[in-house]
Amino acid sequence: MLIPDYETEVDFLNCEAISSTVVELLKNNRNRALTVGIHGDWGAGKSSILKMVESELGQDSKVAVLWFNGWTFEGFDDAKTVLIESTITEICRLKSGSAKLQDIGKKLLRRVNWLKIAKRGSGVAFNVLTGLPSTDQLETAIGALKGVSENAQNVKAEEIPGKLDEIAGFLKPAEDGENIPDTIHAFREDFRSLLDEAKIDQLVVLIDDLDRCLPTTAIETLEAIRLFLFVPKTAFVIGADEAMIEYAVRQHFPDLPVASGPLPYARNYLEKLVQIPFRIPALGAQETRTYVTLLLVQSLVGEEHDGFKVLLDKAKETMQKPWLSTGLSQA
């Protein structure tokens, strides 16, 4: 018998208390920018909690729920912009009928392209002074064009104009007087306009498997979130093992002192980004036995079986009172 280790919307570990609290928190703070952390060891059920949050929020048409798996994009040159571009592209896809929204989306993507160039440094000065594409811009555009050509068999015909517009955006000169602070401020304003035009009351981005990424990817993803921290109606829910993120921070900032005050710098970095943390408690012996029993029974009869639903309810009752140590008996 094989039991796959996939995330699930069926609550085997009595994690509904956490998922329902996160959903209530998000619903009651739709006009604020929020970052929520779901922390726990590998296999503790973080992905399943994110799935439960996605399932419940997805019933509201005024809420856009996007799923981002950092591990999937491991190996990209700039993981920071992958998250930003994915968020903008997905909103435009969900509301594809609005021409004005598509224009705002293209404008935002051009700003992201400019930030990619700005990251390289000297090319921006050349661009502003001459109005011509810099060497960095040409290299980036050629690289993007090469990527499209190599992946041509997977590109749909209707996607080609958008791909070409994106590549052309790398060659356009920066607007007069535009610099990184101005671009970031304008990005936030344009992104707010994008949400208003899409008639979205709240955007919720669920980030999974961040603790499986290499340190650079994990840090760049967290830094991308920082760009949205002051944009109302935007919420991020991050599923990650705190210890692994702290390790990524230490690798990224190797010269930092170990600590300042009662907490290490690595923990301070994470808590600065994550406003509201939820920590999944470790399973005890009885809870582990109950969990394995539910997996075995589900694999035999399926989760829609009436008897399994009764058993699941009984299991939740026992998990809510672990001090009684009753668990599930064979009977």
Side-chain angles (χ1 to χ4, degrees), residues 76-87:
F76 279 74
D77 290 336
D78 192 353
K80 185 187 299 183
T81 54
V82 170
L83 172 59
I84 301 172
E85 289 174 330
S86 298
T87 301

Side-chain angles (χ1 to χ4, degrees), residues 94-109:
L94 291 173
K95 306 290 182 178
S96 57
S98 171
K100 183 177 179 181
L101 183 140
Q102 300 301 318
D103 290 339
I104 297 174
K106 290 178 181 178
K107 185 178 180 181
L108 279 165
L109 290 174

